Short mmCIF file of all heavy atoms in Angstrom, two decimals:
data_model
loop_
_atom_site.label_atom_id
_atom_site.label_comp_id
_atom_site.label_asym_id
_atom_site.label_seq_id
_atom_site.Cartn_x
_atom_site.Cartn_y
_atom_site.Cartn_z
N LEU A 23 0.94 -3.86 16.52
CA LEU A 23 1.23 -4.40 15.20
C LEU A 23 0.82 -3.40 14.14
O LEU A 23 -0.06 -2.55 14.36
CB LEU A 23 0.49 -5.71 14.96
CG LEU A 23 0.72 -6.87 15.93
CD1 LEU A 23 -0.21 -8.02 15.58
CD2 LEU A 23 2.16 -7.31 15.92
N MET A 24 1.45 -3.49 12.99
CA MET A 24 1.01 -2.75 11.82
C MET A 24 0.22 -3.70 10.93
O MET A 24 0.71 -4.78 10.59
CB MET A 24 2.20 -2.18 11.04
CG MET A 24 1.81 -1.49 9.74
SD MET A 24 0.90 0.04 10.01
CE MET A 24 2.27 1.12 10.50
N ARG A 25 -1.01 -3.33 10.59
CA ARG A 25 -1.83 -4.17 9.72
C ARG A 25 -1.90 -3.55 8.33
O ARG A 25 -2.23 -2.38 8.17
CB ARG A 25 -3.25 -4.34 10.27
CG ARG A 25 -4.14 -5.23 9.37
CD ARG A 25 -5.42 -5.60 10.07
NE ARG A 25 -6.21 -4.42 10.40
CZ ARG A 25 -7.15 -4.40 11.33
NH1 ARG A 25 -7.39 -5.48 12.06
NH2 ARG A 25 -7.83 -3.29 11.59
N VAL A 26 -1.56 -4.34 7.33
CA VAL A 26 -1.62 -3.91 5.94
C VAL A 26 -2.62 -4.79 5.21
O VAL A 26 -2.48 -6.00 5.17
CB VAL A 26 -0.24 -4.00 5.25
CG1 VAL A 26 -0.35 -3.58 3.78
CG2 VAL A 26 0.78 -3.12 5.97
N ASN A 27 -3.64 -4.17 4.65
CA ASN A 27 -4.58 -4.87 3.80
C ASN A 27 -4.33 -4.48 2.35
O ASN A 27 -4.29 -3.30 2.01
CB ASN A 27 -6.03 -4.53 4.18
CG ASN A 27 -6.47 -5.22 5.45
OD1 ASN A 27 -6.54 -4.57 6.50
ND2 ASN A 27 -6.74 -6.50 5.39
N ARG A 28 -4.13 -5.49 1.50
CA ARG A 28 -3.94 -5.25 0.07
C ARG A 28 -5.03 -5.98 -0.71
O ARG A 28 -5.33 -7.15 -0.43
CB ARG A 28 -2.57 -5.74 -0.39
CG ARG A 28 -1.41 -4.99 0.20
CD ARG A 28 -0.10 -5.34 -0.52
NE ARG A 28 1.02 -4.69 0.15
CZ ARG A 28 1.95 -5.33 0.86
NH1 ARG A 28 1.90 -6.65 0.97
NH2 ARG A 28 2.93 -4.67 1.44
N PHE A 29 -5.58 -5.28 -1.71
CA PHE A 29 -6.59 -5.87 -2.57
C PHE A 29 -6.10 -5.76 -4.00
O PHE A 29 -5.78 -4.66 -4.48
CB PHE A 29 -7.93 -5.16 -2.37
CG PHE A 29 -8.46 -5.29 -0.97
CD1 PHE A 29 -8.15 -4.35 0.01
CD2 PHE A 29 -9.24 -6.38 -0.61
CE1 PHE A 29 -8.61 -4.48 1.30
CE2 PHE A 29 -9.72 -6.52 0.68
CZ PHE A 29 -9.40 -5.58 1.64
N PHE A 30 -6.04 -6.89 -4.68
CA PHE A 30 -5.52 -6.97 -6.02
C PHE A 30 -6.67 -7.11 -7.02
O PHE A 30 -7.53 -7.98 -6.86
CB PHE A 30 -4.57 -8.16 -6.16
CG PHE A 30 -3.32 -8.03 -5.32
CD1 PHE A 30 -3.34 -8.26 -3.95
CD2 PHE A 30 -2.11 -7.69 -5.91
CE1 PHE A 30 -2.19 -8.14 -3.18
CE2 PHE A 30 -0.95 -7.56 -5.14
CZ PHE A 30 -0.99 -7.79 -3.78
N PHE A 31 -6.66 -6.25 -8.03
CA PHE A 31 -7.72 -6.21 -9.03
C PHE A 31 -7.18 -6.70 -10.37
O PHE A 31 -6.05 -6.38 -10.75
CB PHE A 31 -8.25 -4.78 -9.20
CG PHE A 31 -8.92 -4.23 -7.96
CD1 PHE A 31 -8.17 -3.78 -6.88
CD2 PHE A 31 -10.30 -4.17 -7.87
CE1 PHE A 31 -8.78 -3.28 -5.74
CE2 PHE A 31 -10.93 -3.68 -6.74
CZ PHE A 31 -10.16 -3.22 -5.66
N ASN A 32 -8.03 -7.44 -11.12
CA ASN A 32 -7.62 -7.92 -12.43
C ASN A 32 -7.90 -6.87 -13.50
O ASN A 32 -8.28 -5.73 -13.19
CB ASN A 32 -8.30 -9.25 -12.76
CG ASN A 32 -9.82 -9.13 -12.80
OD1 ASN A 32 -10.38 -8.05 -12.98
ND2 ASN A 32 -10.49 -10.26 -12.64
N ASP A 33 -7.72 -7.24 -14.75
CA ASP A 33 -7.88 -6.28 -15.84
C ASP A 33 -9.32 -5.86 -16.06
O ASP A 33 -9.60 -4.93 -16.83
CB ASP A 33 -7.28 -6.82 -17.14
CG ASP A 33 -7.81 -8.20 -17.49
OD1 ASP A 33 -8.56 -8.79 -16.68
OD2 ASP A 33 -7.47 -8.70 -18.58
N ARG A 34 -10.26 -6.52 -15.40
CA ARG A 34 -11.67 -6.10 -15.44
C ARG A 34 -12.04 -5.35 -14.17
O ARG A 34 -13.21 -5.10 -13.90
CB ARG A 34 -12.57 -7.33 -15.60
CG ARG A 34 -12.40 -8.01 -16.97
CD ARG A 34 -13.27 -9.27 -17.09
NE ARG A 34 -12.72 -10.37 -16.30
CZ ARG A 34 -13.29 -10.88 -15.21
NH1 ARG A 34 -14.42 -10.36 -14.75
NH2 ARG A 34 -12.73 -11.89 -14.56
N MET A 35 -11.00 -5.00 -13.39
CA MET A 35 -11.14 -4.26 -12.14
C MET A 35 -12.03 -5.01 -11.14
O MET A 35 -12.78 -4.43 -10.37
CB MET A 35 -11.70 -2.85 -12.39
CG MET A 35 -10.73 -1.96 -13.16
SD MET A 35 -9.09 -1.87 -12.38
CE MET A 35 -9.49 -1.04 -10.85
N VAL A 36 -11.88 -6.32 -11.13
CA VAL A 36 -12.57 -7.18 -10.16
C VAL A 36 -11.53 -7.67 -9.15
O VAL A 36 -10.50 -8.23 -9.53
CB VAL A 36 -13.21 -8.39 -10.86
CG1 VAL A 36 -13.80 -9.36 -9.82
CG2 VAL A 36 -14.28 -7.93 -11.83
N PRO A 37 -11.76 -7.47 -7.85
CA PRO A 37 -10.82 -7.96 -6.84
C PRO A 37 -10.81 -9.49 -6.80
O PRO A 37 -11.86 -10.11 -6.65
CB PRO A 37 -11.30 -7.34 -5.54
CG PRO A 37 -12.75 -7.06 -5.78
CD PRO A 37 -12.90 -6.77 -7.23
N PHE A 38 -9.64 -10.08 -6.94
CA PHE A 38 -9.56 -11.54 -6.95
C PHE A 38 -8.68 -12.08 -5.83
O PHE A 38 -8.64 -13.29 -5.60
CB PHE A 38 -8.99 -12.01 -8.30
CG PHE A 38 -7.57 -11.59 -8.57
CD1 PHE A 38 -6.50 -12.37 -8.17
CD2 PHE A 38 -7.30 -10.40 -9.24
CE1 PHE A 38 -5.20 -11.98 -8.41
CE2 PHE A 38 -5.99 -10.00 -9.49
CZ PHE A 38 -4.94 -10.78 -9.07
N TYR A 39 -7.98 -11.19 -5.14
CA TYR A 39 -7.05 -11.64 -4.10
C TYR A 39 -6.96 -10.54 -3.05
O TYR A 39 -6.74 -9.37 -3.36
CB TYR A 39 -5.69 -11.93 -4.74
CG TYR A 39 -4.49 -11.97 -3.83
CD1 TYR A 39 -4.54 -12.50 -2.54
CD2 TYR A 39 -3.26 -11.50 -4.29
CE1 TYR A 39 -3.42 -12.52 -1.73
CE2 TYR A 39 -2.12 -11.54 -3.48
CZ TYR A 39 -2.21 -12.04 -2.20
OH TYR A 39 -1.11 -12.08 -1.40
N ALA A 40 -7.16 -10.94 -1.80
CA ALA A 40 -7.01 -10.01 -0.66
C ALA A 40 -5.97 -10.57 0.29
O ALA A 40 -5.95 -11.77 0.56
CB ALA A 40 -8.35 -9.83 0.05
N ALA A 41 -5.12 -9.71 0.76
CA ALA A 41 -4.09 -10.11 1.71
C ALA A 41 -4.19 -9.23 2.94
O ALA A 41 -4.35 -8.02 2.84
CB ALA A 41 -2.70 -9.98 1.09
N GLU A 42 -4.12 -9.85 4.10
CA GLU A 42 -4.04 -9.12 5.36
C GLU A 42 -2.75 -9.53 6.03
O GLU A 42 -2.56 -10.71 6.36
CB GLU A 42 -5.24 -9.42 6.25
CG GLU A 42 -5.21 -8.66 7.56
CD GLU A 42 -6.52 -8.75 8.32
OE1 GLU A 42 -7.41 -7.92 8.05
OE2 GLU A 42 -6.66 -9.66 9.15
N ILE A 43 -1.84 -8.57 6.21
CA ILE A 43 -0.53 -8.86 6.76
C ILE A 43 -0.35 -8.09 8.07
O ILE A 43 -0.61 -6.88 8.12
CB ILE A 43 0.60 -8.49 5.78
CG1 ILE A 43 0.33 -9.11 4.41
CG2 ILE A 43 1.94 -8.98 6.30
CD1 ILE A 43 -0.08 -8.12 3.37
N LEU A 44 0.09 -8.80 9.08
CA LEU A 44 0.39 -8.19 10.37
C LEU A 44 1.90 -8.17 10.56
O LEU A 44 2.56 -9.21 10.47
CB LEU A 44 -0.27 -8.97 11.50
CG LEU A 44 -1.80 -9.06 11.46
CD1 LEU A 44 -2.31 -9.97 12.56
CD2 LEU A 44 -2.42 -7.67 11.56
N TYR A 45 2.44 -6.98 10.78
CA TYR A 45 3.88 -6.80 10.96
C TYR A 45 4.18 -6.42 12.40
O TYR A 45 3.45 -5.62 13.00
CB TYR A 45 4.42 -5.69 10.06
CG TYR A 45 4.33 -5.96 8.58
CD1 TYR A 45 3.26 -5.49 7.84
CD2 TYR A 45 5.33 -6.66 7.92
CE1 TYR A 45 3.18 -5.72 6.48
CE2 TYR A 45 5.26 -6.90 6.55
CZ TYR A 45 4.18 -6.42 5.84
OH TYR A 45 4.11 -6.64 4.49
N CYS A 46 5.26 -6.96 12.93
CA CYS A 46 5.74 -6.48 14.23
C CYS A 46 6.09 -5.00 14.09
O CYS A 46 6.82 -4.61 13.17
CB CYS A 46 6.97 -7.27 14.66
SG CYS A 46 6.63 -9.04 14.90
N ALA A 47 5.56 -4.19 14.98
CA ALA A 47 5.63 -2.74 14.81
C ALA A 47 7.05 -2.20 14.78
O ALA A 47 7.32 -1.17 14.15
CB ALA A 47 4.83 -2.03 15.91
N ASP A 48 8.00 -2.90 15.44
CA ASP A 48 9.36 -2.39 15.49
C ASP A 48 10.19 -2.88 14.31
O ASP A 48 11.37 -2.57 14.22
CB ASP A 48 10.03 -2.82 16.80
CG ASP A 48 10.12 -4.33 16.93
OD1 ASP A 48 9.15 -5.02 16.51
OD2 ASP A 48 11.12 -4.84 17.44
N ARG A 49 9.57 -3.62 13.39
CA ARG A 49 10.34 -4.21 12.30
C ARG A 49 9.82 -3.81 10.93
O ARG A 49 10.23 -4.36 9.90
CB ARG A 49 10.35 -5.73 12.42
CG ARG A 49 10.71 -6.22 13.80
CD ARG A 49 11.00 -7.69 13.81
NE ARG A 49 12.33 -7.96 13.29
CZ ARG A 49 12.73 -9.17 12.91
NH1 ARG A 49 11.91 -10.17 12.94
NH2 ARG A 49 13.96 -9.35 12.46
N TYR A 50 8.89 -2.88 10.87
CA TYR A 50 8.30 -2.49 9.60
C TYR A 50 8.18 -0.98 9.53
O TYR A 50 7.74 -0.34 10.48
CB TYR A 50 6.91 -3.13 9.44
CG TYR A 50 6.23 -2.80 8.13
CD1 TYR A 50 6.53 -3.52 6.98
CD2 TYR A 50 5.29 -1.79 8.05
CE1 TYR A 50 5.90 -3.23 5.77
CE2 TYR A 50 4.65 -1.49 6.86
CZ TYR A 50 4.95 -2.21 5.73
OH TYR A 50 4.33 -1.92 4.55
N GLU A 51 8.58 -0.45 8.41
CA GLU A 51 8.48 1.00 8.19
C GLU A 51 7.85 1.24 6.82
O GLU A 51 8.24 0.63 5.83
CB GLU A 51 9.86 1.64 8.24
CG GLU A 51 9.87 3.15 7.95
CD GLU A 51 11.28 3.71 7.97
OE1 GLU A 51 12.15 3.11 8.62
OE2 GLU A 51 11.51 4.74 7.31
N TYR A 52 6.86 2.10 6.79
CA TYR A 52 6.21 2.46 5.52
C TYR A 52 6.56 3.90 5.20
O TYR A 52 6.36 4.79 6.01
CB TYR A 52 4.70 2.31 5.63
CG TYR A 52 3.96 2.62 4.34
CD1 TYR A 52 3.93 1.69 3.31
CD2 TYR A 52 3.33 3.84 4.15
CE1 TYR A 52 3.27 1.97 2.12
CE2 TYR A 52 2.68 4.13 2.98
CZ TYR A 52 2.64 3.20 1.97
OH TYR A 52 2.00 3.48 0.80
N ARG A 53 7.08 4.11 4.03
CA ARG A 53 7.57 5.44 3.67
C ARG A 53 6.99 5.89 2.34
O ARG A 53 6.96 5.13 1.37
CB ARG A 53 9.10 5.42 3.58
CG ARG A 53 9.74 6.78 3.35
CD ARG A 53 11.25 6.64 3.34
NE ARG A 53 11.74 6.10 4.60
CZ ARG A 53 12.99 5.67 4.76
NH1 ARG A 53 13.84 5.69 3.78
NH2 ARG A 53 13.36 5.20 5.94
N VAL A 54 6.51 7.14 2.29
CA VAL A 54 5.98 7.73 1.08
C VAL A 54 6.74 9.02 0.80
O VAL A 54 6.93 9.83 1.72
CB VAL A 54 4.47 8.02 1.18
CG1 VAL A 54 3.98 8.74 -0.06
CG2 VAL A 54 3.69 6.73 1.40
N SER A 55 7.16 9.21 -0.42
CA SER A 55 7.85 10.44 -0.80
C SER A 55 6.90 11.31 -1.61
O SER A 55 6.30 10.86 -2.59
CB SER A 55 9.09 10.10 -1.65
OG SER A 55 9.75 11.28 -2.05
N LEU A 56 6.71 12.56 -1.18
CA LEU A 56 5.84 13.50 -1.85
C LEU A 56 6.68 14.56 -2.55
O LEU A 56 7.54 15.18 -1.93
CB LEU A 56 4.89 14.18 -0.85
CG LEU A 56 4.01 13.22 -0.03
CD1 LEU A 56 3.21 14.00 0.99
CD2 LEU A 56 3.09 12.44 -0.95
N LYS A 57 6.44 14.76 -3.82
CA LYS A 57 7.24 15.70 -4.60
C LYS A 57 6.36 16.81 -5.14
O LYS A 57 5.28 16.57 -5.67
CB LYS A 57 7.94 14.96 -5.76
CG LYS A 57 8.91 15.83 -6.54
CD LYS A 57 9.62 15.02 -7.62
CE LYS A 57 10.62 15.88 -8.38
NZ LYS A 57 11.33 15.09 -9.43
N ARG A 58 6.85 18.02 -5.02
CA ARG A 58 6.11 19.17 -5.51
C ARG A 58 6.13 19.18 -7.05
O ARG A 58 7.16 18.93 -7.68
CB ARG A 58 6.74 20.47 -4.99
CG ARG A 58 6.02 21.76 -5.42
CD ARG A 58 6.71 22.98 -4.81
NE ARG A 58 8.07 23.11 -5.28
CZ ARG A 58 8.41 23.71 -6.44
NH1 ARG A 58 7.46 24.22 -7.22
NH2 ARG A 58 9.67 23.81 -6.81
N GLU A 59 4.96 19.45 -7.64
CA GLU A 59 4.91 19.56 -9.10
C GLU A 59 5.62 20.83 -9.55
O GLU A 59 5.62 21.84 -8.86
CB GLU A 59 3.45 19.60 -9.58
CG GLU A 59 2.72 18.28 -9.42
CD GLU A 59 1.34 18.34 -10.03
OE1 GLU A 59 1.22 18.87 -11.16
OE2 GLU A 59 0.39 17.89 -9.39
N GLN A 60 6.22 20.76 -10.72
CA GLN A 60 6.95 21.90 -11.26
C GLN A 60 6.06 23.14 -11.34
O GLN A 60 4.98 23.12 -11.91
CB GLN A 60 7.47 21.55 -12.67
CG GLN A 60 8.38 22.60 -13.29
CD GLN A 60 9.72 22.67 -12.58
OE1 GLN A 60 10.16 21.67 -12.02
NE2 GLN A 60 10.36 23.81 -12.61
N GLY A 61 6.51 24.21 -10.73
CA GLY A 61 5.80 25.49 -10.82
C GLY A 61 4.61 25.60 -9.89
O GLY A 61 3.87 26.58 -9.97
N LYS A 62 4.39 24.63 -9.01
CA LYS A 62 3.23 24.67 -8.12
C LYS A 62 3.70 24.56 -6.67
O LYS A 62 4.70 23.93 -6.37
CB LYS A 62 2.26 23.54 -8.43
CG LYS A 62 1.59 23.65 -9.80
CD LYS A 62 0.56 22.55 -9.99
CE LYS A 62 -0.14 22.69 -11.33
NZ LYS A 62 -1.16 21.63 -11.53
N ASP A 63 2.91 25.19 -5.78
CA ASP A 63 3.18 25.10 -4.36
C ASP A 63 2.32 24.00 -3.75
O ASP A 63 1.30 23.60 -4.32
CB ASP A 63 2.85 26.42 -3.65
CG ASP A 63 3.76 27.56 -4.10
OD1 ASP A 63 4.94 27.26 -4.42
OD2 ASP A 63 3.30 28.70 -4.14
#
C-alpha cells in the first residue's frame, strides 16, 4: 500500500487536522515536476 499522511495547519500554524490515507499500490501515482531555474544548473 501507499501511505499518505497529511497535516493541515491553520493561520496560526497550529495543526488542527491529520489525515492518514492508505492507497492500493496499483491504483495511485504520485508525481512531482522539477523545473530548472532560469540561468541555473
